[in-house]
Every structure is written in C-alpha cells, then in structure tokens.
Amino acid sequence: MFCQADGSPLYPDDITAEFNRLVAACGLPKIRLHDLRHNVASLLLATGMPFSSVMKITGHDEDTLEKIYHHVVGEIVTPEMRHAYDWMEALQASEQAKAAAGILGQDAGASVTAIWRRFASS
C-alpha cells in the first residue's frame, strides 16, 4: 500500500521507528502502532458503525471482532470520541478534495508523517 519514494518496500522496523519518533514529538504517551487498530475499531463501533464495515476496515474476522470488542457495542459516544471521529472525517474530506483538484502529487495518501504533523498542530 505504501512504498519509499523510489518504489522500494517500506520495512516494518523503519515504520515502527518513525511512528515512535512522531508519538514522542507530539508529546503523546508511548503506544504500539498496532494499538491504533484497536482504537479505531473501538471508536467506529462506539459510533454505531456496523460490524461488517469495521471488519473491512480493520481486517478482523467476525469472531475476533465480537470477542474483543463486544463491550464497545452500545456504549454512549463520548464528546472525545465524537471529536476524534469528526476530525478524521474532516481530514479525509480535505485530502479527497485536494486529490480531486490535482493539488496532491502521486504520493497522495502515502505520507503518514503529513497526517501526524497535521494532527500535532491541531
């Protein structure tokens, strides 16, 4: 899905190192990159997204999703969850508008760093 500027593959250890650097630079508590998958699944389920859609996004099968996240379904959406969801929706809409207008180059969407920088400045 992502590659280096020359088309060569990204190495998992390099991605982890960059993620850890960005987390520290943003002053966030240390978390594993994999934890983001769980956070996204929890947020999406808490906002009422159907299991089938969350399964497609996270790659979890139905049994895993029900086993790990059954406690999230039916939770009240907190203002913090709503803010995070709204922020992600606005960012996605902005990136899609830029891509449609030809403002983003060929590497549009490939720069996780750009998204983190935007998040850190908001």
Side-chain angles (χ1 to χ4, degrees):
M1 187 163 148
F2 299 107
C3 63
Q4 296 186 42
D6 65 1
S8 61
L10 294 174
Y11 297 99
D13 289 344
D14 293 342
I15 295 168
T16 300
E18 178 67 2
F19 175 77
N20 291 336
R21 186 190 70 74
L22 291 168
V23 167
C26 292
L28 298 170
K30 185 173 175 138
I31 61 169
R32 298 175 308 145
L33 180 59
H34 182 75
D35 294 336
L36 296 179
R37 182 182 190 198
H38 296 296
N39 291 342
V40 165
S42 295
L43 279 170
L44 295 175
L45 288 168
T47 60
M49 183 176 280
F51 264 46
S52 59
S53 298
V54 177
M55 286 169 33
K56 289 177 186 175
I57 292 169
T58 63
H60 284 115
D61 61 45
E62 187 171 356
D63 290 338
T64 301
L65 203 62
E66 287 179 2
K67 181 179 172 184
I68 296 174
Y69 303 103
H70 66 89
H71 66 284
V72 177
V73 179
E75 279 187 4
I76 296 173
V77 178
T78 65
E80 294 82 8
M81 288 178 173
R82 175 55 58 194
H83 176 75
Y85 179 81
D86 290 345
W87 180 82
M88 288 187 285
E89 286 285 305
L91 178 62
Q92 182 180 16
S94 171
E95 294 299 304
Q96 287 174 342
K98 288 178 187 175
I103 296 171
L104 297 176
Q106 292 179 5
D107 62 345
S111 178
V112 174
T113 304
I115 293 173
W116 275 101
R117 285 186 183 138
R118 232 178 263 152
F119 176 74
S121 66
S122 63

PDB file of all heavy atoms in Angstrom, residues 59-89:
ATOM      1  N   GLY A  59      -9.707  -5.485   9.152  1.00  0.00           N
ATOM      2  CA  GLY A  59      -9.223  -6.796   8.746  1.00  0.00           C
ATOM      3  C   GLY A  59      -9.522  -7.888   9.755  1.00  0.00           C
ATOM      4  O   GLY A  59      -9.070  -9.021   9.595  1.00  0.00           O
ATOM      5  N   HIS A  60     -10.267  -7.567  10.808  1.00  0.00           N
ATOM      6  CA  HIS A  60     -10.663  -8.588  11.785  1.00  0.00           C
ATOM      7  C   HIS A  60     -11.779  -9.456  11.196  1.00  0.00           C
ATOM      8  O   HIS A  60     -12.600  -8.968  10.430  1.00  0.00           O
ATOM      9  CB  HIS A  60     -11.213  -7.931  13.062  1.00  0.00           C
ATOM     10  CG  HIS A  60     -10.183  -7.347  13.941  1.00  0.00           C
ATOM     11  ND1 HIS A  60     -10.101  -5.994  14.187  1.00  0.00           N
ATOM     12  CD2 HIS A  60      -9.186  -7.903  14.658  1.00  0.00           C
ATOM     13  CE1 HIS A  60      -9.110  -5.754  15.015  1.00  0.00           C
ATOM     14  NE2 HIS A  60      -8.537  -6.890  15.314  1.00  0.00           N
ATOM     15  N   ASP A  61     -11.807 -10.731  11.591  1.00  0.00           N
ATOM     16  CA  ASP A  61     -12.954 -11.547  11.214  1.00  0.00           C
ATOM     17  C   ASP A  61     -14.050 -11.330  12.258  1.00  0.00           C
ATOM     18  O   ASP A  61     -13.828 -10.735  13.310  1.00  0.00           O
ATOM     19  CB  ASP A  61     -12.582 -13.023  11.079  1.00  0.00           C
ATOM     20  CG  ASP A  61     -12.047 -13.630  12.373  1.00  0.00           C
ATOM     21  OD1 ASP A  61     -12.637 -13.389  13.441  1.00  0.00           O
ATOM     22  OD2 ASP A  61     -11.035 -14.350  12.304  1.00  0.00           O
ATOM     23  N   GLU A  62     -15.247 -11.805  11.968  1.00  0.00           N
ATOM     24  CA  GLU A  62     -16.400 -11.523  12.826  1.00  0.00           C
ATOM     25  C   GLU A  62     -16.218 -12.079  14.238  1.00  0.00           C
ATOM     26  O   GLU A  62     -16.531 -11.411  15.220  1.00  0.00           O
ATOM     27  CB  GLU A  62     -17.678 -12.078  12.205  1.00  0.00           C
ATOM     28  CG  GLU A  62     -18.922 -11.659  12.963  1.00  0.00           C
ATOM     29  CD  GLU A  62     -20.200 -12.023  12.228  1.00  0.00           C
ATOM     30  OE1 GLU A  62     -20.131 -12.526  11.099  1.00  0.00           O
ATOM     31  OE2 GLU A  62     -21.270 -11.786  12.800  1.00  0.00           O
ATOM     32  N   ASP A  63     -15.684 -13.298  14.352  1.00  0.00           N
ATOM     33  CA  ASP A  63     -15.496 -13.893  15.673  1.00  0.00           C
ATOM     34  C   ASP A  63     -14.536 -13.060  16.522  1.00  0.00           C
ATOM     35  O   ASP A  63     -14.797 -12.803  17.698  1.00  0.00           O
ATOM     36  CB  ASP A  63     -14.969 -15.329  15.564  1.00  0.00           C
ATOM     37  CG  ASP A  63     -16.009 -16.289  15.017  1.00  0.00           C
ATOM     38  OD1 ASP A  63     -17.220 -15.975  15.106  1.00  0.00           O
ATOM     39  OD2 ASP A  63     -15.613 -17.353  14.512  1.00  0.00           O
ATOM     40  N   THR A  64     -13.427 -12.640  15.927  1.00  0.00           N
ATOM     41  CA  THR A  64     -12.449 -11.830  16.651  1.00  0.00           C
ATOM     42  C   THR A  64     -13.063 -10.507  17.063  1.00  0.00           C
ATOM     43  O   THR A  64     -12.900 -10.059  18.201  1.00  0.00           O
ATOM     44  CB  THR A  64     -11.200 -11.581  15.784  1.00  0.00           C
ATOM     45  OG1 THR A  64     -10.634 -12.836  15.424  1.00  0.00           O
ATOM     46  CG2 THR A  64     -10.174 -10.737  16.515  1.00  0.00           C
ATOM     47  N   LEU A  65     -13.769  -9.893  16.140  1.00  0.00           N
ATOM     48  CA  LEU A  65     -14.384  -8.596  16.427  1.00  0.00           C
ATOM     49  C   LEU A  65     -15.366  -8.701  17.587  1.00  0.00           C
ATOM     50  O   LEU A  65     -15.328  -7.892  18.512  1.00  0.00           O
ATOM     51  CB  LEU A  65     -15.081  -8.080  15.173  1.00  0.00           C
ATOM     52  CG  LEU A  65     -15.313  -6.583  15.083  1.00  0.00           C
ATOM     53  CD1 LEU A  65     -14.005  -5.823  15.084  1.00  0.00           C
ATOM     54  CD2 LEU A  65     -16.098  -6.258  13.838  1.00  0.00           C
ATOM     55  N   GLU A  66     -16.207  -9.715  17.554  1.00  0.00           N
ATOM     56  CA  GLU A  66     -17.185  -9.886  18.637  1.00  0.00           C
ATOM     57  C   GLU A  66     -16.503 -10.221  19.956  1.00  0.00           C
ATOM     58  O   GLU A  66     -16.898  -9.727  21.008  1.00  0.00           O
ATOM     59  CB  GLU A  66     -18.199 -10.969  18.274  1.00  0.00           C
ATOM     60  CG  GLU A  66     -19.171 -10.520  17.210  1.00  0.00           C
ATOM     61  CD  GLU A  66     -20.168 -11.593  16.819  1.00  0.00           C
ATOM     62  OE1 GLU A  66     -20.137 -12.703  17.408  1.00  0.00           O
ATOM     63  OE2 GLU A  66     -20.977 -11.330  15.921  1.00  0.00           O
ATOM     64  N   LYS A  67     -15.475 -11.044  19.902  1.00  0.00           N
ATOM     65  CA  LYS A  67     -14.771 -11.467  21.122  1.00  0.00           C
ATOM     66  C   LYS A  67     -14.036 -10.305  21.782  1.00  0.00           C
ATOM     67  O   LYS A  67     -14.107 -10.122  22.998  1.00  0.00           O
ATOM     68  CB  LYS A  67     -13.780 -12.578  20.774  1.00  0.00           C
ATOM     69  CG  LYS A  67     -12.994 -13.127  21.934  1.00  0.00           C
ATOM     70  CD  LYS A  67     -12.076 -14.240  21.453  1.00  0.00           C
ATOM     71  CE  LYS A  67     -11.122 -14.682  22.531  1.00  0.00           C
ATOM     72  NZ  LYS A  67     -10.175 -15.679  22.038  1.00  0.00           N
ATOM     73  N   ILE A  68     -13.360  -9.492  20.986  1.00  0.00           N
ATOM     74  CA  ILE A  68     -12.538  -8.411  21.536  1.00  0.00           C
ATOM     75  C   ILE A  68     -13.351  -7.160  21.834  1.00  0.00           C
ATOM     76  O   ILE A  68     -13.113  -6.484  22.830  1.00  0.00           O
ATOM     77  CB  ILE A  68     -11.384  -8.058  20.571  1.00  0.00           C
ATOM     78  CG1 ILE A  68     -10.445  -9.260  20.424  1.00  0.00           C
ATOM     79  CG2 ILE A  68     -10.607  -6.851  21.053  1.00  0.00           C
ATOM     80  CD1 ILE A  68      -9.365  -9.067  19.393  1.00  0.00           C
ATOM     81  N   TYR A  69     -14.318  -6.858  20.993  1.00  0.00           N
ATOM     82  CA  TYR A  69     -14.980  -5.554  21.083  1.00  0.00           C
ATOM     83  C   TYR A  69     -16.445  -5.595  21.492  1.00  0.00           C
ATOM     84  O   TYR A  69     -17.123  -4.579  21.417  1.00  0.00           O
ATOM     85  CB  TYR A  69     -14.860  -4.821  19.740  1.00  0.00           C
ATOM     86  CG  TYR A  69     -13.439  -4.640  19.307  1.00  0.00           C
ATOM     87  CD1 TYR A  69     -12.880  -5.442  18.324  1.00  0.00           C
ATOM     88  CD2 TYR A  69     -12.640  -3.672  19.905  1.00  0.00           C
ATOM     89  CE1 TYR A  69     -11.569  -5.288  17.931  1.00  0.00           C
ATOM     90  CE2 TYR A  69     -11.323  -3.508  19.523  1.00  0.00           C
ATOM     91  CZ  TYR A  69     -10.797  -4.317  18.541  1.00  0.00           C
ATOM     92  OH  TYR A  69      -9.500  -4.158  18.164  1.00  0.00           O
ATOM     93  N   HIS A  70     -16.943  -6.729  21.962  1.00  0.00           N
ATOM     94  CA  HIS A  70     -18.369  -6.828  22.305  1.00  0.00           C
ATOM     95  C   HIS A  70     -18.774  -5.799  23.351  1.00  0.00           C
ATOM     96  O   HIS A  70     -19.899  -5.319  23.362  1.00  0.00           O
ATOM     97  CB  HIS A  70     -18.718  -8.236  22.787  1.00  0.00           C
ATOM     98  CG  HIS A  70     -18.058  -8.608  24.071  1.00  0.00           C
ATOM     99  ND1 HIS A  70     -18.629  -8.349  25.285  1.00  0.00           N
ATOM    100  CD2 HIS A  70     -16.864  -9.187  24.311  1.00  0.00           C
ATOM    101  CE1 HIS A  70     -17.806  -8.758  26.243  1.00  0.00           C
ATOM    102  NE2 HIS A  70     -16.740  -9.275  25.672  1.00  0.00           N
ATOM    103  N   HIS A  71     -17.849  -5.420  24.230  1.00  0.00           N
ATOM    104  CA  HIS A  71     -18.168  -4.454  25.290  1.00  0.00           C
ATOM    105  C   HIS A  71     -18.378  -3.046  24.756  1.00  0.00           C
ATOM    106  O   HIS A  71     -18.974  -2.218  25.423  1.00  0.00           O
ATOM    107  CB  HIS A  71     -17.038  -4.440  26.321  1.00  0.00           C
ATOM    108  CG  HIS A  71     -15.753  -3.922  25.766  1.00  0.00           C
ATOM    109  ND1 HIS A  71     -14.955  -4.690  24.937  1.00  0.00           N
ATOM    110  CD2 HIS A  71     -15.156  -2.719  25.872  1.00  0.00           C
ATOM    111  CE1 HIS A  71     -13.896  -3.970  24.589  1.00  0.00           C
ATOM    112  NE2 HIS A  71     -13.995  -2.778  25.128  1.00  0.00           N
ATOM    113  N   VAL A  72     -17.876  -2.770  23.556  1.00  0.00           N
ATOM    114  CA  VAL A  72     -17.962  -1.418  22.996  1.00  0.00           C
ATOM    115  C   VAL A  72     -19.328  -1.151  22.382  1.00  0.00           C
ATOM    116  O   VAL A  72     -19.838  -0.038  22.437  1.00  0.00           O
ATOM    117  CB  VAL A  72     -16.865  -1.196  21.928  1.00  0.00           C
ATOM    118  CG1 VAL A  72     -16.987   0.177  21.301  1.00  0.00           C
ATOM    119  CG2 VAL A  72     -15.489  -1.379  22.535  1.00  0.00           C
ATOM    120  N   VAL A  73     -19.921  -2.187  21.812  1.00  0.00           N
ATOM    121  CA  VAL A  73     -21.192  -2.012  21.118  1.00  0.00           C
ATOM    122  C   VAL A  73     -22.246  -1.525  22.113  1.00  0.00           C
ATOM    123  O   VAL A  73     -22.413  -2.070  23.186  1.00  0.00           O
ATOM    124  CB  VAL A  73     -21.644  -3.327  20.453  1.00  0.00           C
ATOM    125  CG1 VAL A  73     -22.974  -3.150  19.764  1.00  0.00           C
ATOM    126  CG2 VAL A  73     -20.579  -3.803  19.476  1.00  0.00           C
ATOM    127  N   GLY A  74     -22.913  -0.466  21.741  1.00  0.00           N
ATOM    128  CA  GLY A  74     -23.957   0.082  22.594  1.00  0.00           C
ATOM    129  C   GLY A  74     -23.465   1.103  23.602  1.00  0.00           C
ATOM    130  O   GLY A  74     -24.260   1.672  24.331  1.00  0.00           O
ATOM    131  N   GLU A  75     -22.146   1.331  23.664  1.00  0.00           N
ATOM    132  CA  GLU A  75     -21.649   2.367  24.570  1.00  0.00           C
ATOM    133  C   GLU A  75     -22.144   3.728  24.115  1.00  0.00           C
ATOM    134  O   GLU A  75     -22.403   3.953  22.938  1.00  0.00           O
ATOM    135  CB  GLU A  75     -20.112   2.407  24.568  1.00  0.00           C
ATOM    136  CG  GLU A  75     -19.461   1.381  25.429  1.00  0.00           C
ATOM    137  CD  GLU A  75     -17.954   1.595  25.504  1.00  0.00           C
ATOM    138  OE1 GLU A  75     -17.434   2.579  24.947  1.00  0.00           O
ATOM    139  OE2 GLU A  75     -17.298   0.758  26.133  1.00  0.00           O
ATOM    140  N   ILE A  76     -22.218   4.626  25.045  1.00  0.00           N
ATOM    141  CA  ILE A  76     -22.570   6.010  24.708  1.00  0.00           C
ATOM    142  C   ILE A  76     -21.346   6.666  24.086  1.00  0.00           C
ATOM    143  O   ILE A  76     -20.237   6.521  24.582  1.00  0.00           O
ATOM    144  CB  ILE A  76     -22.999   6.775  25.966  1.00  0.00           C
ATOM    145  CG1 ILE A  76     -24.267   6.141  26.527  1.00  0.00           C
ATOM    146  CG2 ILE A  76     -23.181   8.246  25.682  1.00  0.00           C
ATOM    147  CD1 ILE A  76     -24.700   6.696  27.862  1.00  0.00           C
ATOM    148  N   VAL A  77     -21.548   7.364  23.005  1.00  0.00           N
ATOM    149  CA  VAL A  77     -20.457   8.056  22.344  1.00  0.00           C
ATOM    150  C   VAL A  77     -20.106   9.294  23.171  1.00  0.00           C
ATOM    151  O   VAL A  77     -20.940  10.161  23.407  1.00  0.00           O
ATOM    152  CB  VAL A  77     -20.844   8.467  20.908  1.00  0.00           C
ATOM    153  CG1 VAL A  77     -19.714   9.241  20.252  1.00  0.00           C
ATOM    154  CG2 VAL A  77     -21.194   7.232  20.098  1.00  0.00           C
ATOM    155  N   THR A  78     -18.867   9.358  23.624  1.00  0.00           N
ATOM    156  CA  THR A  78     -18.428  10.485  24.439  1.00  0.00           C
ATOM    157  C   THR A  78     -18.084  11.666  23.532  1.00  0.00           C
ATOM    158  O   THR A  78     -17.837  11.491  22.333  1.00  0.00           O
ATOM    159  CB  THR A  78     -17.185  10.120  25.261  1.00  0.00           C
ATOM    160  OG1 THR A  78     -16.100   9.874  24.362  1.00  0.00           O
ATOM    161  CG2 THR A  78     -17.435   8.897  26.129  1.00  0.00           C
ATOM    162  N   PRO A  79     -18.040  12.875  24.080  1.00  0.00           N
ATOM    163  CA  PRO A  79     -17.630  14.025  23.269  1.00  0.00           C
ATOM    164  C   PRO A  79     -16.239  13.846  22.663  1.00  0.00           C
ATOM    165  O   PRO A  79     -15.988  14.270  21.538  1.00  0.00           O
ATOM    166  CB  PRO A  79     -17.649  15.191  24.269  1.00  0.00           C
ATOM    167  CG  PRO A  79     -18.614  14.771  25.323  1.00  0.00           C
ATOM    168  CD  PRO A  79     -18.471  13.274  25.429  1.00  0.00           C
ATOM    169  N   GLU A  80     -15.342  13.166  23.389  1.00  0.00           N
ATOM    170  CA  GLU A  80     -13.994  12.938  22.870  1.00  0.00           C
ATOM    171  C   GLU A  80     -14.021  12.013  21.655  1.00  0.00           C
ATOM    172  O   GLU A  80     -13.313  12.246  20.673  1.00  0.00           O
ATOM    173  CB  GLU A  80     -13.094  12.326  23.964  1.00  0.00           C
ATOM    174  CG  GLU A  80     -12.825  13.238  25.133  1.00  0.00           C
ATOM    175  CD  GLU A  80     -13.949  13.240  26.179  1.00  0.00           C
ATOM    176  OE1 GLU A  80     -14.885  12.428  26.082  1.00  0.00           O
ATOM    177  OE2 GLU A  80     -13.878  14.065  27.095  1.00  0.00           O
ATOM    178  N   MET A  81     -14.867  10.982  21.707  1.00  0.00           N
ATOM    179  CA  MET A  81     -14.995  10.081  20.562  1.00  0.00           C
ATOM    180  C   MET A  81     -15.572  10.828  19.367  1.00  0.00           C
ATOM    181  O   MET A  81     -15.128  10.649  18.240  1.00  0.00           O
ATOM    182  CB  MET A  81     -15.896   8.894  20.908  1.00  0.00           C
ATOM    183  CG  MET A  81     -15.301   7.904  21.842  1.00  0.00           C
ATOM    184  SD  MET A  81     -16.532   6.630  22.161  1.00  0.00           S
ATOM    185  CE  MET A  81     -15.576   5.482  23.102  1.00  0.00           C
ATOM    186  N   ARG A  82     -16.572  11.637  19.618  1.00  0.00           N
ATOM    187  CA  ARG A  82     -17.199  12.395  18.543  1.00  0.00           C
ATOM    188  C   ARG A  82     -16.183  13.353  17.922  1.00  0.00           C
ATOM    189  O   ARG A  82     -16.109  13.495  16.709  1.00  0.00           O
ATOM    190  CB  ARG A  82     -18.425  13.147  19.075  1.00  0.00           C
ATOM    191  CG  ARG A  82     -19.095  14.057  18.063  1.00  0.00           C
ATOM    192  CD  ARG A  82     -19.511  13.403  16.761  1.00  0.00           C
ATOM    193  NE  ARG A  82     -20.416  12.297  16.978  1.00  0.00           N
ATOM    194  CZ  ARG A  82     -20.712  11.403  16.039  1.00  0.00           C
ATOM    195  NH1 ARG A  82     -20.203  11.490  14.841  1.00  0.00           N
ATOM    196  NH2 ARG A  82     -21.534  10.419  16.297  1.00  0.00           N
ATOM    197  N   HIS A  83     -15.379  14.028  18.762  1.00  0.00           N
ATOM    198  CA  HIS A  83     -14.363  14.956  18.262  1.00  0.00           C
ATOM    199  C   HIS A  83     -13.351  14.213  17.378  1.00  0.00           C
ATOM    200  O   HIS A  83     -13.014  14.677  16.287  1.00  0.00           O
ATOM    201  CB  HIS A  83     -13.645  15.643  19.421  1.00  0.00           C
ATOM    202  CG  HIS A  83     -12.528  16.523  18.990  1.00  0.00           C
ATOM    203  ND1 HIS A  83     -12.739  17.763  18.419  1.00  0.00           N
ATOM    204  CD2 HIS A  83     -11.190  16.342  19.016  1.00  0.00           C
ATOM    205  CE1 HIS A  83     -11.569  18.308  18.117  1.00  0.00           C
ATOM    206  NE2 HIS A  83     -10.619  17.458  18.468  1.00  0.00           N
ATOM    207  N   ALA A  84     -12.882  13.045  17.845  1.00  0.00           N
ATOM    208  CA  ALA A  84     -11.913  12.264  17.064  1.00  0.00           C
ATOM    209  C   ALA A  84     -12.519  11.819  15.740  1.00  0.00           C
ATOM    210  O   ALA A  84     -11.881  11.911  14.686  1.00  0.00           O
ATOM    211  CB  ALA A  84     -11.439  11.053  17.871  1.00  0.00           C
ATOM    212  N   TYR A  85     -13.754  11.364  15.785  1.00  0.00           N
ATOM    213  CA  TYR A  85     -14.438  10.914  14.566  1.00  0.00           C
ATOM    214  C   TYR A  85     -14.618  12.078  13.594  1.00  0.00           C
ATOM    215  O   TYR A  85     -14.325  11.957  12.401  1.00  0.00           O
ATOM    216  CB  TYR A  85     -15.789  10.308  14.939  1.00  0.00           C
ATOM    217  CG  TYR A  85     -16.587   9.837  13.751  1.00  0.00           C
ATOM    218  CD1 TYR A  85     -16.319   8.609  13.167  1.00  0.00           C
ATOM    219  CD2 TYR A  85     -17.604  10.617  13.215  1.00  0.00           C
ATOM    220  CE1 TYR A  85     -17.047   8.165  12.070  1.00  0.00           C
ATOM    221  CE2 TYR A  85     -18.336  10.186  12.120  1.00  0.00           C
ATOM    222  CZ  TYR A  85     -18.052   8.964  11.554  1.00  0.00           C
ATOM    223  OH  TYR A  85     -18.763   8.543  10.481  1.00  0.00           O
ATOM    224  N   ASP A  86     -15.073  13.227  14.095  1.00  0.00           N
ATOM    225  CA  ASP A  86     -15.273  14.403  13.241  1.00  0.00           C
ATOM    226  C   ASP A  86     -13.959  14.870  12.637  1.00  0.00           C
ATOM    227  O   ASP A  86     -13.895  15.265  11.471  1.00  0.00           O
ATOM    228  CB  ASP A  86     -15.924  15.542  14.027  1.00  0.00           C
ATOM    229  CG  ASP A  86     -17.369  15.252  14.389  1.00  0.00           C
ATOM    230  OD1 ASP A  86     -17.968  14.327  13.816  1.00  0.00           O
ATOM    231  OD2 ASP A  86     -17.896  15.963  15.281  1.00  0.00           O
ATOM    232  N   TRP A  87     -12.883  14.822  13.433  1.00  0.00           N
ATOM    233  CA  TRP A  87     -11.569  15.251  12.943  1.00  0.00           C
ATOM    234  C   TRP A  87     -11.113  14.337  11.808  1.00  0.00           C
ATOM    235  O   TRP A  87     -10.640  14.809  10.774  1.00  0.00           O
ATOM    236  CB  TRP A  87     -10.542  15.238  14.080  1.00  0.00           C
ATOM    237  CG  TRP A  87      -9.186  15.672  13.629  1.00  0.00           C
ATOM    238  CD1 TRP A  87      -8.730  16.942  13.481  1.00  0.00           C
ATOM    239  CD2 TRP A  87      -8.108  14.821  13.238  1.00  0.00           C
ATOM    240  NE1 TRP A  87      -7.434  16.919  13.025  1.00  0.00           N
ATOM    241  CE2 TRP A  87      -7.030  15.642  12.863  1.00  0.00           C
ATOM    242  CE3 TRP A  87      -7.954  13.435  13.172  1.00  0.00           C
ATOM    243  CZ2 TRP A  87      -5.816  15.127  12.434  1.00  0.00           C
ATOM    244  CZ3 TRP A  87      -6.739  12.926  12.741  1.00  0.00           C
ATOM    245  CH2 TRP A  87      -5.691  13.775  12.375  1.00  0.00           C
ATOM    246  N   MET A  88     -11.269  13.010  11.978  1.00  0.00           N
ATOM    247  CA  MET A  88     -10.856  12.067  10.931  1.00  0.00           C
ATOM    248  C   MET A  88     -11.687  12.255   9.660  1.00  0.00           C
ATOM    249  O   MET A  88     -11.160  12.201   8.551  1.00  0.00           O
ATOM    250  CB  MET A  88     -10.955  10.631  11.438  1.00  0.00           C
ATOM    251  CG  MET A  88      -9.886  10.288  12.452  1.00  0.00           C
ATOM    252  SD  MET A  88      -9.866   8.540  12.922  1.00  0.00           S
ATOM    253  CE  MET A  88     -11.291   8.450  13.995  1.00  0.00           C
ATOM    254  N   GLU A  89     -12.980  12.496   9.827  1.00  0.00           N
ATOM    255  CA  GLU A  89     -13.853  12.722   8.671  1.00  0.00           C
ATOM    256  C   GLU A  89     -13.432  13.989   7.918  1.00  0.00           C
ATOM    257  O   GLU A  89     -13.370  13.999   6.683  1.00  0.00           O
ATOM    258  CB  GLU A  89     -15.308  12.850   9.127  1.00  0.00           C
ATOM    259  CG  GLU A  89     -15.940  11.546   9.531  1.00  0.00           C
ATOM    260  CD  GLU A  89     -16.284  10.687   8.340  1.00  0.00           C
ATOM    261  OE1 GLU A  89     -17.005  11.150   7.446  1.00  0.00           O
ATOM    262  OE2 GLU A  89     -15.822   9.531   8.304  1.00  0.00           O
TER     263      GLU A  89
END
